[in-house]
């Protein structure tokens, strides 16, 4: 029997076994993604084999045309497996099982790695292709009608693309290598495997057109804009159920993607599209949130797939989907859109898919990372779990208290208080019941703002870890406006929504211009320091470099920080001590003979070589210390 017909017969006559085969293959691919990069020759050979499979394997069905041709699924499967395959085989390196097989067969281990990887890749292509086919057909149906239903989204999508595109122009113009960007621009590495973000690693190869990730900005930020606009349209649709929206509804969803915290994500030239994709993955499953029995499988599948993609791109967004479910459920219960039993059934289905994906990711996919001064992915001991959670939440909310200026706090308070009032006045149920549900939704969603990070022993406290707050603001605002557009006494909430959205939109330009000023300032300070080093060191011998002190923020930013405190945390100080990125440009961008050594101990008194108003230069033949004033 030809190779192609094996899959067709197997999938037709043994559907249960074939379904098991697909999921085993998919699980194996995800597990094997936890790897390092392999030689490019392997990728080339695998691509040739994928092409052969594509031309040999025929359709397993003679049904009418579906969402796209059957061979398209095989192409998708080939591309997906190729993305995994280029990182496959090092998992076998050092394996005792492979060692025993190598001894028994007499085959050297490295060719054995290569053979196993290629065989697994070829076997997986039809499985992944058919799996994608099943998912698309089950979620969307076979007639492609979903494309027709989504035609209404064109105009809202273009509106959001315009708004978000304008908002990031100042950030794009700044052309600032934001923290990790400095290393990626220099070395071209991906590096997201460190935090088990394998989808980011995989997708970056296609975005940059090469496994060497050269700087392709602003393409990445424009892709982020497209994903942000798509996410915003989905949120509008699931909250309102309508195809036409008011100005205030458009404004209400803006904080989802233009909160001050998410602006840091948009600052990354390399990370921005995958961070935006995490939001899209979080809100997409809400399209299937319904209490109808026939939609439960779709909701379960979408919840699992969306949460898994979220985990594989950027885990900060893990709180957005649960928040969205909480608000949608409260809205349905308060306005009597569906029976309570159906609403709770939908919530349970979504929660099951969510936690199943999180557990699968944690148990099967995650590569444990060692704790350091930056962040740790491990949970504290059971005895310390509750105190750690309380401490983490307190620190998170204290930082929000510090970051937000007084006008933002006032507007946020009005929205938070106005939301339960509007739901009580506009709800179709009992007022006390509506009040309790609304307050409960606010409280539970506030706990979910930071996703699962508060459960960690050492969570992330950088500003990008807070962008769930923007989603919370958007959901509260949309819930306030839903079914209340014609109600009385809604003017104050509308004014607050408009003011907060405009303020965030304007702040995007303030922040982008601050990045531009900071870049000029750091360039000036770095050039001044390198001038002194070049004057005293004319040889090319390798020397260790250590920075003491902090260059701080550009003078033009310091006054703005008083009115926008979050600027001080958003704007990187890329010239300071005890930070791997604090002297990267000095060590790599100007002279290749300088090696950054933040741990270098100064046990003796180094001679003073130069002293200026901004820095002092100390050094000998092997060591250089720059003390910033």
């Amino acid at each position: 029997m030809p190779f192609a017909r094996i899959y067709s017969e197997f999938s037709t006559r043994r559907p249960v076994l074939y379904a098991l085969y697909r999921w085993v293959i998919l699980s194996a691919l995800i597990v094997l993604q936890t790897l390092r990069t392999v030689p490019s020759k392997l990728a080339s050979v695998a691509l040739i084999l994928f092409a052969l499979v594509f031309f040999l394997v025929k359709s397993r069905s003679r049904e009418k045309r579906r969402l796209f041709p059957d061979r398209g699924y095989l192409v998708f499967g080939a591309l997906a497996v190729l993305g995994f395959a280029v990182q496959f085989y090092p998992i076998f390196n050092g394996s005792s099982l492979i060692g025993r097989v190598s001894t028994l067969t007499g085959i050297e281990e490295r060719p054995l790695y290569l053979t196993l990887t290629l065989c697994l890749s070829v076997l997986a292509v039809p499985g992944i292709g058919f799996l994608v086919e099943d998912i698309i057909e089950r979620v969307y149906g076979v007639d492609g009608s979903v494309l027709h239903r989504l035609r209404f989204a064109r105009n809202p999508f273009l509106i959001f693309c315009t708004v978000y595109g304008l908002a990031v122009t100042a950030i794009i113009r700044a052309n600032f290598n934001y923290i990790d960007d400095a290393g990626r621009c220099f070395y071209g590495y991906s590096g997201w495997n460190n935090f088990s973000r394998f989808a980011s690693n995989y997708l970056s190869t296609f975005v940059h057109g090469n496994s060497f990730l050269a700087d392709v900005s602003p393409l990445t930020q424009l892709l982020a804009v497209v994903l942000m606009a798509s996410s915003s349209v989905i949120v509008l649709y699931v909250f309102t159920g309508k195809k036409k929206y008011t100005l205030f509804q458009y404004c209400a969803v803006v904080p989802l993607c233009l909160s001050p915290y998410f602006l840091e994500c948009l600052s990354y030239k390399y990370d921005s599209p995958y961070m935006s994709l995490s939001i899209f993955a979080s809100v997409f499953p809400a399209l299937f949130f319904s209490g109808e029995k026939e939609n439960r499988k779709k909701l379960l599948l979408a919840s699992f797939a969306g949460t898994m993609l979220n985990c594989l791109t950027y885990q900060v967004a893990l709180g957005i989907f649960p928040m969205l479910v909480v608000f949608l459920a409260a809205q349905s219960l308060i306005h009597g859109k569906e029976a309570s039993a159906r609403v709770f059934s939908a919530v349970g289905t979504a929660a099951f898919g969510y936690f199943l994906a999180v557990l699968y990711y944690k148990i099967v996919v995650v590569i444990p990372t060692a704790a350091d001064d930056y962040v740790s992915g491990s949970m504290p001991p059971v005895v310390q779990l509750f105190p750690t959670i309380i401490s983490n939440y307190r620190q998170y909310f204290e930082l929000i208290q510090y970051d937000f200026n007084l006008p933002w706090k006032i507007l946020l308070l009005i929205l938070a208080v106005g939301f339960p009032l509007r739901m009580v006045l506009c709800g179709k149920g009992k007022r006390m019941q509506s009040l309790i549900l609304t307050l409960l939704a606010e409280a539970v969603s506030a706990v979910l703002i930071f996703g699962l990070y508060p459960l960690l022993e050492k969570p992330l406290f950088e500003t990008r870890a807070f962008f769930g707050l923007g989603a919370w603001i958007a959901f509260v605002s949309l819930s306030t406006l839903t079914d209340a557009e014609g109600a009385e006494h809604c003017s104050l909430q509308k004014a607050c929504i408009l003011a907060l959205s405009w303020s965030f939109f304007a702040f995007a330009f303030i922040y982008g211009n601050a990045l531009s000023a900071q870049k000029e300032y750091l360039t000036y300070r770095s050039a001044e320091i390198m001038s002194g080093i070049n004057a005293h060191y004319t040889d090319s011998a390798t020397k260790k470099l250590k920075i003491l002190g902090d260059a701080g923020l550009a003078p033009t930013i310091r006054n703005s920080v008083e009115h926008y405190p979050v600027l001080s945390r958003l704007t990187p100080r890329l010239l300071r001590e005890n930070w791997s990125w604090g002297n990267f440009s000095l060590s790599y961008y100007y002279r290749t003979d300088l090696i950054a050594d933040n741990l270098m101990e100064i046990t003796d008194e180094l001679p003073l070589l130069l002293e200026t108003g901004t820095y002092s230069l100390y050094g000998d033949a092997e060591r250089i210390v720059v003390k910033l004033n």
Side-chain angles (χ1 to χ4, degrees), residues 266-496:
L266 297 175
S267 304
Y268 283 99
K269 294 180 178 180
Y270 287 79
D271 300 70
S272 53
Y274 319 115
M275 292 175 170
S276 299
L277 181 58
S278 70
I279 292 184
F280 180 83
S282 299
V283 302
F284 175 76
L287 286 171
F288 310 99
F289 184 80
S290 171
E292 297 179 3
K293 187 176 181 179
E294 55 271 19
N295 284 334
R296 290 178 188 173
K297 291 183 179 179
K298 297 179 182 180
L299 177 59
L300 177 62
L301 184 61
S303 300
F304 180 87
T307 304
M308 181 60 68
L309 182 57
N310 189 337
C311 293
L312 293 171
T313 50
Y314 200 50
Q315 300 90 349
V316 172
L318 276 173
I320 293 180
F321 178 58
M323 270 195 291
L324 187 52
V325 169
V326 167
F327 278 104
L328 291 177
Q331 180 177 295
S332 296
L333 292 172
I334 292 172
H335 297 297
K337 294 182 177 180
E338 289 189 271
S340 300
R342 288 189 171 186
V343 174
F344 288 121
S345 174
V347 171
T349 302
F352 181 71
Y354 176 86
F355 285 111
L356 186 64
V358 171
L359 288 176
Y360 185 91
Y361 175 75
K362 175 64 177 177
I363 296 172
V364 177
V365 180
V366 168
I367 300 177
T369 56
D372 54 28
D373 294 334
Y374 173 56
V375 68
S376 171
S378 60
M379 295 178 62
V382 177
V383 179
Q384 302 176 6
L385 181 60
F386 184 73
T388 301
I389 292 174
I390 298 300
S391 174
N392 289 339
Y393 272 114
R394 182 173 63 249
Q395 188 169 350
Y396 274 122
F397 285 111
E398 285 177 354
L399 286 171
I400 292 176
Q401 166 72 15
Y402 167 79
D403 290 336
F404 270 41
N405 57 28
L406 183 59
W408 288 353
K409 292 175 185 176
I410 293 174
L411 293 172
L412 191 58
L413 179 62
I414 294 174
L415 286 176
V417 174
F419 169 52
L421 293 178
R422 292 311 312 158
M423 291 299 99
V424 170
L425 294 176
C426 300
K428 296 182 180 180
K430 297 179 180 179
R431 291 193 173 185
M432 183 55 66
Q433 180 181 352
S434 298
L435 179 62
I436 294 174
L437 283 172
T438 308
L439 293 176
L440 186 62
E442 267 195 328
V444 172
S445 60
V447 172
L448 295 169
I449 286 175
F450 313 104
L452 303 180
Y453 276 19
L455 302 178
L456 302 181
E457 186 175 15
K458 190 179 296 182
L460 182 68
F461 288 107
E462 301 297 324
T463 48
R464 58 187 177 275
F466 292 72
F467 70 70
L469 178 62
W472 188 87
I473 294 173
F475 299 159
V476 168
S477 301
L478 282 171
S479 297
T480 303
L481 294 175
T482 301
D483 294 337
E485 283 298 311
E488 298 178 357
H489 311 300
C490 196
S491 300
L492 180 60
Q493 286 82 4
K494 291 181 178 179
C496 288

Side-chain angles (χ1 to χ4, degrees), residues 546 597-604 623:
K546 183 180 180 67
D597 189 355
N598 294 320
L599 301 178
M600 180 173 61
E601 296 183 2
I602 310 300
T603 56
D604 53 341
R623 297 172 295 172

